[in-house]
Amino acid sequence: MPKLSGNKGEWSEIYVFLRLLEVGKLYAADADLNKMDDVFYNIINIVRTENIGVLEFRVDRNAGRVSVYNTETAETLIDLPSDEFARVADRLYNEIVAANAPSFASADTEAFLDRISVSTLKAKSSDKADIRIKIHDINTGYESVQGFSIKSRLGGASTLVNAGKTTNFIYEITGYVNDNVMTVFNNCSNLFKSKFDYLYNYVNCSLKYIGMENDTCESNLLLIDCDLPQICAQMLAEYYATGVNTVEKALDSIVAANPMNYNLSKGHPFYQYKFKKFLTESALGMLPSKPWDGTADATGGYIIVREDGEVLCYHLFNRNEFENYLVKNTKFETASTSRHQFGSIYKENGKYYLKLNLQIRFIK
């Protein structure tokens, strides 16, 4: 009877683990998630903390073998040909793709994991990285253990910035606003575009950003750039008002409007640069609810499982490709208004306010 059960994302982490041990290399991707055959990092080992201790899964590319070494007992537990990892990875990939249930088991994979002393789907670790790999950079000769975050495109699209009350932006309603306007807006169609058509075009009101509901999240943004909360607020209001949701189009729109009055005559990408940094830091470990000191949890970068099963990475050595990938492959999304308490005009001390929530999801 299988003991392990997980969703597609959790099984994808095991798939990455098995596939990388088979291949012995971590290939880079360009901004369009194409494999860069000439940019890769040789894998020396993958480190996992299991119930029996800290294990190193050592790759011998010349011999085509993988050995499991217990660092606490200085003992080699098993030595297997890499072809066996390929077989299990291939079968697991097919099971992940075919799975319809939210959570499922894989008896064949679990039996193999037992052989190599892996007892959990998600490796225990002191950091928040999904996988820890010792890599060798053939260009610099540098070797180090680095943590990577794993995102799988085999299941539903995952979120990059999770919704919460922490990601609520607060705006003051300016212009001709009264209790009647508040009532009509709040009882208008569930579509935010209809609400904003009424607010902007019928009663000629505007939004003025005044701050975030959570000062920790706001301080995290300020740490990246002092203008970032205002930029996010402008892009967020545009999304709710127009329904245009891709980050790429939102950046085009804010550049055209230039609400921060930057000098764009020399071609400086002020908005793109600042928002890319926000996406990147969110990807590497910044959370809205926790004070952030600028330290990335995923010190190596991002590993992505493509739909065809190819495992590719955006290493922080190649940060530009990673940042461009994030811009091209993310979108704004509307979360639950009731759960996160936003989307309705409210009145305080004779003034009218509106909260809008920020959630960003991968397009795929």
Side-chain angles (χ1 to χ4, degrees):
M1 186 74 177
K3 302 187 294 276
L4 299 180
S5 181
N7 58 36
K8 289 191 174 189
E10 290 165 334
W11 280 114
S12 290
E13 291 187 23
I14 291 294
Y15 171 75
V16 168
F17 167 70
L18 296 171
R19 183 65 78 198
L20 290 181
L21 289 173
E22 171 221 340
V23 176
K25 295 179 181 179
L26 183 53
Y27 283 91
D30 65 16
D32 297 311
L33 201 55
N34 297 311
K35 182 179 180 181
M36 301 172 69
D37 292 313
D38 58 341
V39 182
F40 60 87
Y41 309 94
N42 287 322
I43 296 173
I44 298 171
N45 61 52
I46 296 177
V47 182
R48 286 179 67 98
T49 302
E50 294 293 339
N51 294 335
I52 62 172
V54 178
L55 305 182
E56 290 181 359
F57 296 80
R58 297 177 172 180
V59 176
D60 185 339
R61 284 179 301 279
N62 293 327
R65 301 190 70 83
V66 176
S67 60
V68 183
Y69 179 80
N70 189 326
T71 62
E72 297 180 13
T73 63
E75 175 188 9
T76 297
L77 303 179
I78 193 170
D79 183 272
L80 297 170
S82 56
D83 287 350
E84 290 205 34
F85 290 84
R87 176 189 64 80
V88 179
D90 288 343
R91 182 174 295 183
L92 178 57
Y93 166 76
N94 291 328
E95 289 178 322
I96 294 172
V97 171
N100 293 319
S103 184
F104 61 97
S106 172
D108 181 72
T109 304
E110 184 172 336
F112 184 75
L113 293 179
D114 283 340
R115 288 180 64 196
I116 61 174
S117 302
V118 171
S119 56
T120 58
L121 294 187
K122 199 169 183 66
K124 298 175 183 177
S125 176
S126 59
D127 56 29
K128 296 176 184 176
D130 295 318
I131 191 169
R132 294 160 62 206
I133 309 173
K134 187 173 185 179
I135 62 171
H136 173 82
D137 184 350
I138 60 174
N139 296 313
T140 64
Y142 182 65
E143 294 183 357
S144 64
V145 176
Q146 299 179 5
F148 290 83
S149 177
I150 297 173
K151 294 296 180 184
S152 175
R153 295 165 66 108
L154 301 181
S158 56
T159 54
L160 177 60
V161 179
N162 290 318
K165 291 181 183 179
T166 51
T167 60
N168 281 340
F169 287 69
I170 305 173
Y171 306 78
E172 182 183 350
I173 312 294
T174 61
Y176 186 73
V177 58
N178 54 30
D179 287 1
N180 182 61
V181 169
M182 177 175 66
T183 300
V184 173
F185 180 94
N186 291 345
N187 289 286
C188 196
S189 162
N190 288 330
L191 296 175
F192 274 100
K193 189 176 184 304
S194 298
K195 292 176 180 285
F196 276 94
D197 282 343
Y198 166 75
L199 192 66
Y200 287 167
N201 301 321
Y202 188 77
V203 294
N204 199 29
C205 289
S206 301
L207 297 187
K208 178 185 177 183
Y209 169 68
I210 61 169
M212 294 191 67
E213 183 169 350
N214 183 272
D215 58 3
T216 296
C217 185
E218 186 173 35
S219 294
N220 289 346
L221 298 186
L222 288 169
L223 183 61
I224 299 173
D225 189 278
C226 290
D227 287 341
L228 191 55
Q230 182 73 44
I231 291 171
C232 289
Q234 294 284 345
M235 294 174 70
L236 195 60
E238 178 78 5
Y239 157 63
Y240 280 99
T242 67
V244 176
N245 64 352
T246 67
V247 166
E248 200 165 22
K249 289 182 178 178
L251 284 170
D252 289 341
S253 180
I254 196 171
V255 169
N258 192 17
M260 306 302 294
N261 293 315
Y262 293 133
N263 180 1
L264 303 178
S265 63
K266 302 294 192 296
H268 290 95
F270 290 102
Y271 296 99
Q272 297 93 327
Y273 180 84
K274 296 170 191 288
F275 202 76
K276 278 181 184 179
K277 299 306 172 188
F278 166 57
L279 295 179
T280 302
E281 302 305 347
S282 297
L284 298 179
M286 184 181 75
L287 298 173
S289 59
K290 295 183 179 180
W292 181 66
D293 63 1
T295 302
D297 289 318
T299 55
Y302 243 47
I303 290 174
I304 296 178
V305 185
R306 217 166 54 181
E307 290 87 345
D308 61 359
E310 190 77 65
V311 176
L312 302 174
C313 85
Y314 290 103
H315 197 285
L316 295 189
F317 292 163
N318 198 20
R319 195 180 184 102
N320 289 340
E321 296 285 357
F322 179 44
E323 291 179 349
N324 290 333
Y325 169 80
L326 291 177
V327 168
K328 290 182 177 182
N329 290 276
T330 50
K331 64 180 181 179
F332 294 98
E333 187 176 64
T334 304
S336 168
T337 56
S338 57
R339 180 179 178 185
H340 305 302
Q341 297 180 14
F342 73 96
S344 296
I345 295 176
Y346 61 97
K347 187 177 181 180
E348 285 184 356
N349 300 320
K351 293 185 176 182
Y352 298 84
Y353 300 95
L354 174 67
K355 294 178 184 177
L356 296 177
N357 181 265
L358 174 66
Q359 177 165 283
I360 298 177
R361 185 178 293 276
F362 285 96
I363 293 171
K364 177 58 180 176

PDB file of all heavy atoms in Angstrom, residues 305-325:
ATOM      1  N   VAL A 305      10.026  22.829 -14.875  1.00  0.00           N
ATOM      2  CA  VAL A 305       9.694  21.618 -15.613  1.00  0.00           C
ATOM      3  C   VAL A 305       8.774  22.019 -16.759  1.00  0.00           C
ATOM      4  O   VAL A 305       7.648  22.460 -16.538  1.00  0.00           O
ATOM      5  CB  VAL A 305       8.987  20.579 -14.723  1.00  0.00           C
ATOM      6  CG1 VAL A 305       8.766  19.294 -15.507  1.00  0.00           C
ATOM      7  CG2 VAL A 305       9.787  20.304 -13.464  1.00  0.00           C
ATOM      8  N   ARG A 306       9.280  21.884 -17.963  1.00  0.00           N
ATOM      9  CA  ARG A 306       8.494  22.251 -19.137  1.00  0.00           C
ATOM     10  C   ARG A 306       7.439  21.185 -19.424  1.00  0.00           C
ATOM     11  O   ARG A 306       7.522  20.061 -18.914  1.00  0.00           O
ATOM     12  CB  ARG A 306       9.446  22.406 -20.338  1.00  0.00           C
ATOM     13  CG  ARG A 306       9.112  23.507 -21.293  1.00  0.00           C
ATOM     14  CD  ARG A 306      10.260  23.805 -22.238  1.00  0.00           C
ATOM     15  NE  ARG A 306      10.730  22.622 -22.961  1.00  0.00           N
ATOM     16  CZ  ARG A 306      11.745  22.631 -23.823  1.00  0.00           C
ATOM     17  NH1 ARG A 306      12.415  23.754 -24.044  1.00  0.00           N
ATOM     18  NH2 ARG A 306      12.105  21.530 -24.424  1.00  0.00           N
ATOM     19  N   GLU A 307       6.453  21.516 -20.247  1.00  0.00           N
ATOM     20  CA  GLU A 307       5.352  20.586 -20.533  1.00  0.00           C
ATOM     21  C   GLU A 307       5.838  19.263 -21.120  1.00  0.00           C
ATOM     22  O   GLU A 307       5.217  18.213 -20.912  1.00  0.00           O
ATOM     23  CB  GLU A 307       4.349  21.227 -21.499  1.00  0.00           C
ATOM     24  CG  GLU A 307       3.526  22.357 -20.907  1.00  0.00           C
ATOM     25  CD  GLU A 307       4.205  23.714 -21.012  1.00  0.00           C
ATOM     26  OE1 GLU A 307       5.433  23.762 -21.288  1.00  0.00           O
ATOM     27  OE2 GLU A 307       3.529  24.727 -20.814  1.00  0.00           O
ATOM     28  N   ASP A 308       6.930  19.297 -21.855  1.00  0.00           N
ATOM     29  CA  ASP A 308       7.452  18.067 -22.466  1.00  0.00           C
ATOM     30  C   ASP A 308       8.377  17.294 -21.535  1.00  0.00           C
ATOM     31  O   ASP A 308       8.974  16.283 -21.926  1.00  0.00           O
ATOM     32  CB  ASP A 308       8.179  18.384 -23.771  1.00  0.00           C
ATOM     33  CG  ASP A 308       9.383  19.302 -23.580  1.00  0.00           C
ATOM     34  OD1 ASP A 308       9.641  19.716 -22.428  1.00  0.00           O
ATOM     35  OD2 ASP A 308      10.057  19.614 -24.580  1.00  0.00           O
ATOM     36  N   GLY A 309       8.498  17.754 -20.294  1.00  0.00           N
ATOM     37  CA  GLY A 309       9.330  17.053 -19.319  1.00  0.00           C
ATOM     38  C   GLY A 309      10.755  17.553 -19.235  1.00  0.00           C
ATOM     39  O   GLY A 309      11.514  17.107 -18.361  1.00  0.00           O
ATOM     40  N   GLU A 310      11.144  18.451 -20.121  1.00  0.00           N
ATOM     41  CA  GLU A 310      12.493  19.014 -20.066  1.00  0.00           C
ATOM     42  C   GLU A 310      12.658  19.826 -18.788  1.00  0.00           C
ATOM     43  O   GLU A 310      11.777  20.595 -18.408  1.00  0.00           O
ATOM     44  CB  GLU A 310      12.723  19.915 -21.277  1.00  0.00           C
ATOM     45  CG  GLU A 310      14.158  20.363 -21.461  1.00  0.00           C
ATOM     46  CD  GLU A 310      15.060  19.290 -22.036  1.00  0.00           C
ATOM     47  OE1 GLU A 310      14.852  18.881 -23.193  1.00  0.00           O
ATOM     48  OE2 GLU A 310      15.972  18.857 -21.302  1.00  0.00           O
ATOM     49  N   VAL A 311      13.786  19.636 -18.118  1.00  0.00           N
ATOM     50  CA  VAL A 311      14.089  20.355 -16.878  1.00  0.00           C
ATOM     51  C   VAL A 311      15.162  21.398 -17.172  1.00  0.00           C
ATOM     52  O   VAL A 311      16.287  21.049 -17.540  1.00  0.00           O
ATOM     53  CB  VAL A 311      14.569  19.383 -15.785  1.00  0.00           C
ATOM     54  CG1 VAL A 311      14.975  20.152 -14.531  1.00  0.00           C
ATOM     55  CG2 VAL A 311      13.478  18.365 -15.457  1.00  0.00           C
ATOM     56  N   LEU A 312      14.806  22.666 -17.010  1.00  0.00           N
ATOM     57  CA  LEU A 312      15.707  23.760 -17.354  1.00  0.00           C
ATOM     58  C   LEU A 312      15.807  24.730 -16.183  1.00  0.00           C
ATOM     59  O   LEU A 312      14.940  24.745 -15.304  1.00  0.00           O
ATOM     60  CB  LEU A 312      15.203  24.500 -18.598  1.00  0.00           C
ATOM     61  CG  LEU A 312      15.034  23.653 -19.857  1.00  0.00           C
ATOM     62  CD1 LEU A 312      14.379  24.481 -20.964  1.00  0.00           C
ATOM     63  CD2 LEU A 312      16.369  23.095 -20.326  1.00  0.00           C
ATOM     64  N   CYS A 313      16.853  25.536 -16.201  1.00  0.00           N
ATOM     65  CA  CYS A 313      17.035  26.447 -15.077  1.00  0.00           C
ATOM     66  C   CYS A 313      17.320  27.865 -15.530  1.00  0.00           C
ATOM     67  O   CYS A 313      17.808  28.115 -16.637  1.00  0.00           O
ATOM     68  CB  CYS A 313      18.161  25.970 -14.166  1.00  0.00           C
ATOM     69  SG  CYS A 313      19.818  26.475 -14.661  1.00  0.00           S
ATOM     70  N   TYR A 314      16.974  28.780 -14.641  1.00  0.00           N
ATOM     71  CA  TYR A 314      17.422  30.167 -14.741  1.00  0.00           C
ATOM     72  C   TYR A 314      18.354  30.377 -13.554  1.00  0.00           C
ATOM     73  O   TYR A 314      17.902  30.556 -12.428  1.00  0.00           O
ATOM     74  CB  TYR A 314      16.247  31.142 -14.686  1.00  0.00           C
ATOM     75  CG  TYR A 314      15.387  31.106 -15.925  1.00  0.00           C
ATOM     76  CD1 TYR A 314      14.164  30.467 -15.922  1.00  0.00           C
ATOM     77  CD2 TYR A 314      15.823  31.706 -17.102  1.00  0.00           C
ATOM     78  CE1 TYR A 314      13.375  30.427 -17.059  1.00  0.00           C
ATOM     79  CE2 TYR A 314      15.043  31.669 -18.249  1.00  0.00           C
ATOM     80  CZ  TYR A 314      13.824  31.025 -18.224  1.00  0.00           C
ATOM     81  OH  TYR A 314      13.061  30.988 -19.353  1.00  0.00           O
ATOM     82  N   HIS A 315      19.628  30.280 -13.823  1.00  0.00           N
ATOM     83  CA  HIS A 315      20.611  30.486 -12.769  1.00  0.00           C
ATOM     84  C   HIS A 315      20.819  31.976 -12.571  1.00  0.00           C
ATOM     85  O   HIS A 315      20.724  32.770 -13.513  1.00  0.00           O
ATOM     86  CB  HIS A 315      21.934  29.809 -13.130  1.00  0.00           C
ATOM     87  CG  HIS A 315      22.851  29.634 -11.969  1.00  0.00           C
ATOM     88  ND1 HIS A 315      23.564  30.673 -11.419  1.00  0.00           N
ATOM     89  CD2 HIS A 315      23.155  28.536 -11.229  1.00  0.00           C
ATOM     90  CE1 HIS A 315      24.282  30.225 -10.401  1.00  0.00           C
ATOM     91  NE2 HIS A 315      24.055  28.931 -10.258  1.00  0.00           N
ATOM     92  N   LEU A 316      21.115  32.353 -11.345  1.00  0.00           N
ATOM     93  CA  LEU A 316      21.317  33.775 -11.080  1.00  0.00           C
ATOM     94  C   LEU A 316      22.560  34.330 -11.762  1.00  0.00           C
ATOM     95  O   LEU A 316      22.737  35.540 -11.831  1.00  0.00           O
ATOM     96  CB  LEU A 316      21.356  34.027  -9.574  1.00  0.00           C
ATOM     97  CG  LEU A 316      20.039  33.731  -8.857  1.00  0.00           C
ATOM     98  CD1 LEU A 316      20.091  34.213  -7.420  1.00  0.00           C
ATOM     99  CD2 LEU A 316      18.863  34.359  -9.575  1.00  0.00           C
ATOM    100  N   PHE A 317      23.445  33.436 -12.267  1.00  0.00           N
ATOM    101  CA  PHE A 317      24.536  33.905 -13.111  1.00  0.00           C
ATOM    102  C   PHE A 317      23.976  34.491 -14.409  1.00  0.00           C
ATOM    103  O   PHE A 317      24.626  35.284 -15.076  1.00  0.00           O
ATOM    104  CB  PHE A 317      25.489  32.758 -13.463  1.00  0.00           C
ATOM    105  CG  PHE A 317      26.260  32.227 -12.292  1.00  0.00           C
ATOM    106  CD1 PHE A 317      26.884  30.990 -12.361  1.00  0.00           C
ATOM    107  CD2 PHE A 317      26.384  32.951 -11.113  1.00  0.00           C
ATOM    108  CE1 PHE A 317      27.607  30.489 -11.286  1.00  0.00           C
ATOM    109  CE2 PHE A 317      27.108  32.454 -10.033  1.00  0.00           C
ATOM    110  CZ  PHE A 317      27.713  31.220 -10.123  1.00  0.00           C
ATOM    111  N   ASN A 318      22.764  34.043 -14.775  1.00  0.00           N
ATOM    112  CA  ASN A 318      22.137  34.478 -16.022  1.00  0.00           C
ATOM    113  C   ASN A 318      20.830  35.195 -15.690  1.00  0.00           C
ATOM    114  O   ASN A 318      19.764  34.868 -16.194  1.00  0.00           O
ATOM    115  CB  ASN A 318      21.877  33.258 -16.914  1.00  0.00           C
ATOM    116  CG  ASN A 318      21.649  33.655 -18.359  1.00  0.00           C
ATOM    117  OD1 ASN A 318      22.020  34.740 -18.783  1.00  0.00           O
ATOM    118  ND2 ASN A 318      21.032  32.766 -19.115  1.00  0.00           N
ATOM    119  N   ARG A 319      20.931  36.206 -14.836  1.00  0.00           N
ATOM    120  CA  ARG A 319      19.770  36.859 -14.239  1.00  0.00           C
ATOM    121  C   ARG A 319      18.882  37.551 -15.268  1.00  0.00           C
ATOM    122  O   ARG A 319      17.660  37.582 -15.127  1.00  0.00           O
ATOM    123  CB  ARG A 319      20.249  37.867 -13.185  1.00  0.00           C
ATOM    124  CG  ARG A 319      19.168  38.360 -12.247  1.00  0.00           C
ATOM    125  CD  ARG A 319      19.719  39.336 -11.238  1.00  0.00           C
ATOM    126  NE  ARG A 319      18.723  39.732 -10.275  1.00  0.00           N
ATOM    127  CZ  ARG A 319      18.631  39.263  -9.042  1.00  0.00           C
ATOM    128  NH1 ARG A 319      19.486  38.335  -8.636  1.00  0.00           N
ATOM    129  NH2 ARG A 319      17.700  39.695  -8.219  1.00  0.00           N
ATOM    130  N   ASN A 320      19.472  38.120 -16.311  1.00  0.00           N
ATOM    131  CA  ASN A 320      18.676  38.864 -17.298  1.00  0.00           C
ATOM    132  C   ASN A 320      17.634  37.974 -17.967  1.00  0.00           C
ATOM    133  O   ASN A 320      16.482  38.381 -18.157  1.00  0.00           O
ATOM    134  CB  ASN A 320      19.580  39.498 -18.344  1.00  0.00           C
ATOM    135  CG  ASN A 320      20.383  40.658 -17.800  1.00  0.00           C
ATOM    136  OD1 ASN A 320      20.025  41.234 -16.780  1.00  0.00           O
ATOM    137  ND2 ASN A 320      21.482  40.986 -18.459  1.00  0.00           N
ATOM    138  N   GLU A 321      18.041  36.753 -18.345  1.00  0.00           N
ATOM    139  CA  GLU A 321      17.097  35.826 -18.980  1.00  0.00           C
ATOM    140  C   GLU A 321      15.965  35.486 -18.015  1.00  0.00           C
ATOM    141  O   GLU A 321      14.800  35.396 -18.408  1.00  0.00           O
ATOM    142  CB  GLU A 321      17.824  34.543 -19.409  1.00  0.00           C
ATOM    143  CG  GLU A 321      18.892  34.741 -20.468  1.00  0.00           C
ATOM    144  CD  GLU A 321      18.319  34.974 -21.858  1.00  0.00           C
ATOM    145  OE1 GLU A 321      17.087  34.929 -22.020  1.00  0.00           O
ATOM    146  OE2 GLU A 321      19.114  35.204 -22.786  1.00  0.00           O
ATOM    147  N   PHE A 322      16.297  35.308 -16.755  1.00  0.00           N
ATOM    148  CA  PHE A 322      15.301  34.972 -15.737  1.00  0.00           C
ATOM    149  C   PHE A 322      14.293  36.101 -15.562  1.00  0.00           C
ATOM    150  O   PHE A 322      13.072  35.883 -15.555  1.00  0.00           O
ATOM    151  CB  PHE A 322      16.019  34.680 -14.419  1.00  0.00           C
ATOM    152  CG  PHE A 322      15.102  34.332 -13.276  1.00  0.00           C
ATOM    153  CD1 PHE A 322      14.045  33.451 -13.449  1.00  0.00           C
ATOM    154  CD2 PHE A 322      15.311  34.868 -12.018  1.00  0.00           C
ATOM    155  CE1 PHE A 322      13.204  33.125 -12.397  1.00  0.00           C
ATOM    156  CE2 PHE A 322      14.486  34.548 -10.957  1.00  0.00           C
ATOM    157  CZ  PHE A 322      13.435  33.679 -11.139  1.00  0.00           C
ATOM    158  N   GLU A 323      14.794  37.325 -15.449  1.00  0.00           N
ATOM    159  CA  GLU A 323      13.901  38.467 -15.267  1.00  0.00           C
ATOM    160  C   GLU A 323      12.979  38.641 -16.463  1.00  0.00           C
ATOM    161  O   GLU A 323      11.782  38.930 -16.303  1.00  0.00           O
ATOM    162  CB  GLU A 323      14.724  39.729 -15.027  1.00  0.00           C
ATOM    163  CG  GLU A 323      15.447  39.723 -13.680  1.00  0.00           C
ATOM    164  CD  GLU A 323      16.273  40.966 -13.451  1.00  0.00           C
ATOM    165  OE1 GLU A 323      16.463  41.750 -14.414  1.00  0.00           O
ATOM    166  OE2 GLU A 323      16.740  41.173 -12.313  1.00  0.00           O
ATOM    167  N   ASN A 324      13.512  38.479 -17.660  1.00  0.00           N
ATOM    168  CA  ASN A 324      12.682  38.619 -18.867  1.00  0.00           C
ATOM    169  C   ASN A 324      11.646  37.508 -18.948  1.00  0.00           C
ATOM    170  O   ASN A 324      10.515  37.730 -19.395  1.00  0.00           O
ATOM    171  CB  ASN A 324      13.564  38.626 -20.110  1.00  0.00           C
ATOM    172  CG  ASN A 324      14.386  39.896 -20.227  1.00  0.00           C
ATOM    173  OD1 ASN A 324      13.993  40.945 -19.717  1.00  0.00           O
ATOM    174  ND2 ASN A 324      15.534  39.818 -20.880  1.00  0.00           N
ATOM    175  N   TYR A 325      12.008  36.311 -18.514  1.00  0.00           N
ATOM    176  CA  TYR A 325      11.043  35.212 -18.478  1.00  0.00           C
ATOM    177  C   TYR A 325       9.885  35.547 -17.549  1.00  0.00           C
ATOM    178  O   TYR A 325       8.707  35.322 -17.893  1.00  0.00           O
ATOM    179  CB  TYR A 325      11.723  33.921 -18.020  1.00  0.00           C
ATOM    180  CG  TYR A 325      10.746  32.812 -17.705  1.00  0.00           C
ATOM    181  CD1 TYR A 325      10.183  32.044 -18.721  1.00  0.00           C
ATOM    182  CD2 TYR A 325      10.360  32.554 -16.392  1.00  0.00           C
ATOM    183  CE1 TYR A 325       9.269  31.035 -18.442  1.00  0.00           C
ATOM    184  CE2 TYR A 325       9.452  31.543 -16.100  1.00  0.00           C
ATOM    185  CZ  TYR A 325       8.909  30.792 -17.121  1.00  0.00           C
ATOM    186  OH  TYR A 325       7.997  29.801 -16.844  1.00  0.00           O
TER     187      TYR A 325
END
